Amino acid sequence: MEFITYEVEGQVGIITINRPKALNALNSTVLEELDATLDAVDQNEIRCLILTGAGDKSFVAGADIAEMSTLTKAEGEAFGKKGNDVFRKLETFPLPVIAAINGFALGGGCEISMSCDIRICSETAVFGQPEVGLGITPGFGGTQRLARLVGAGMAKQLIYTARNIKAEEALRIGLVNAIYPLDELMPQAKKMAAGIAKNAPIAVRNCKKAINDGLEVDMDKAIVIEEKLFGDCFETEDQKYGMEFFLDKSKDKVKEPFKNC
Ligand code: DAK
């Protein structure tokens, strides 16, 4: 891989977009490599992913403007589809994904972070959808995901004005869950990922699916989705062990790791 690194630490997979000379901007190769990296994740071994950017300045400074500048309408649409397909793969990936946003998250960078389940950022992070200043709309789901995350009014303000916001404002509007000093960001992301990884994997995956799928339908249908995914957890080894462990009143018991089943 030229622009993506993938490391495994315990049950956590760390995907780093590694194109620091262009502030980790997303060109076609980055998108293709990210797609291939997701396909290669061992979902039996890994229980949570972290997505971050290389260097200490930028998470992802957007789609690659140089590559986009010469696209025809048809090529622009194809580039948009390539990005949208991989962002959707990330969003619907069975395992939870934490975006550790270590600097600029502009345009496609803000959009890829919104395809992740959880966003935490450094004090130095900057967010924005600058596309209308470049003569285009957000093209990797920004109009849709930002509105769902922070509400239509705030999303419209940010997108129409193309104004960048700092970490504190991103926290205030609910775009990120927490802010850390830059050098604490990855340790905190890993701590959160490890906390997720120790829980019952089928239950965690089903929670992700229930929340994602439920948000796309009305409440009556959403509750049925939850019922089905709740039911799916029963008769698994993890459900039996988790409940038996709670009910076991012996004092010297030690909780075993959950198994994939
Ligand atoms: N693309 C390509 N190169 C980029 C880049 C980008 N988005 N952002 C930065 N770079 C490159 C710079 O050109 C520079 O390269 P060299 O000159 O060194 O070769 C290098 O990274 C360092 O950047 P700067 O010298 O500019 O660094 P500064 O610290 O001065 O400024 C900055 C940092 C992040 C404020 C600045 O680089 C900047 O404004 N970058 C552009 C941010 C931006 O506008 N991002 C949004 C891109 S638009 C669609 C599909 C997708 C999209 C839309 C539609 N469809 C098909 C419908 C998505 C659009 C976007 O994401």
Side-chain angles (χ1 to χ4, degrees):
M1 295 260 173
E2 189 180 357
F3 296 131
I4 300 282
T5 61
Y6 179 62
E7 297 153 283
V8 171
E9 288 188 21
Q11 293 174 306
V12 177
I14 303 165
I15 299 174
T16 305
I17 298 175
N18 188 12
R19 202 189 165 209
K21 281 189 188 152
L23 303 184
N24 304 322
L26 303 171
N27 62 12
S28 298
T29 309
V30 175
L31 294 172
E32 283 156 16
E33 290 185 1
L34 181 57
D35 191 56
T37 302
L38 289 172
D39 286 345
V41 170
D42 180 345
Q43 294 183 27
N44 290 319
E45 181 198 7
I46 299 300
R47 297 196 180 169
C48 186
L49 292 176
I50 298 172
L51 178 70
T52 194
D56 56 9
K57 187 170 169 182
S58 183
F59 172 67
V60 171
D64 191 304
I65 299 171
E67 181 174 333
M68 284 192 298
S69 63
T70 55
L71 297 182
T72 61
K73 276 188 185 179
E75 289 166 343
E77 210 177 304
F79 183 68
K81 178 164 168 40
K82 190 177 273 186
N84 275 325
D85 286 353
V86 68
F87 285 24
R88 189 74 181 129
K89 187 177 275 189
L90 202 53
E91 186 169 47
T92 60
F93 201 70
L95 308 176
V97 186
I98 300 169
I101 302 155
N102 55 315
F104 293 114
L106 302 175
C110 188
E111 289 169 308
I112 199 169
S113 81
M114 292 190 290
S115 303
C116 299
D117 296 284
I118 295 166
R119 281 154 298 287
I120 61 175
C121 74
S122 63
E123 290 166 343
T124 55
V126 176
F127 297 82
Q129 296 290 159
E131 286 87 348
V132 294
L134 296 164
I136 54 175
T137 64
F140 290 151
T143 56
Q144 303 310 307
R145 294 194 181 93
L146 190 60
R148 283 166 172 75
L149 268 171
V150 304
M154 184 58 77
K156 286 175 176 175
Q157 183 180 329
L158 289 171
I159 290 171
Y160 300 168
T161 62
R163 185 174 67 87
N164 289 348
I165 59 170
K166 292 185 178 165
E168 279 300 335
E169 191 170 351
L171 181 68
R172 185 178 61 76
I173 66 174
L175 184 53
V176 297
N177 293 4
I179 306 173
Y180 299 102
L182 183 59
D183 60 350
E184 285 175 31
L185 178 65
M186 278 312 284
Q188 289 292 341
K190 289 177 188 178
K191 189 173 165 193
M192 187 188 288
I196 292 170
K198 77 173 173 40
N199 290 319
I202 291 175
V204 171
R205 291 176 196 205
N206 283 11
C207 288
K208 172 166 179 170
K209 191 161 172 46
I211 294 168
N212 279 358
D213 293 358
L215 283 171
E216 287 176 11
V217 296
D218 66 44
M219 186 56 86
D220 288 324
K221 292 193 181 100
I223 287 298
V224 174
I225 290 171
E226 189 186 78
E227 283 165 8
K228 169 84 180 65
L229 289 160
F230 171 74
D232 270 357
C233 296
F234 286 82
E235 297 180 46
T236 64
E237 256 184 73
D238 288 351
Q239 174 263 329
K240 285 184 197 146
Y241 176 71
M243 293 190 178
E244 276 163 17
F245 185 85
F246 175 80
L247 295 171
D248 177 359
K249 300 299 173 197
S250 44
K251 286 210 170 82
D252 52 352
K253 63 182 182 177
V254 178
K255 199 163 186 179
E256 299 291 330
F258 283 108
K259 300 186 188 96
N260 269 323
C261 49

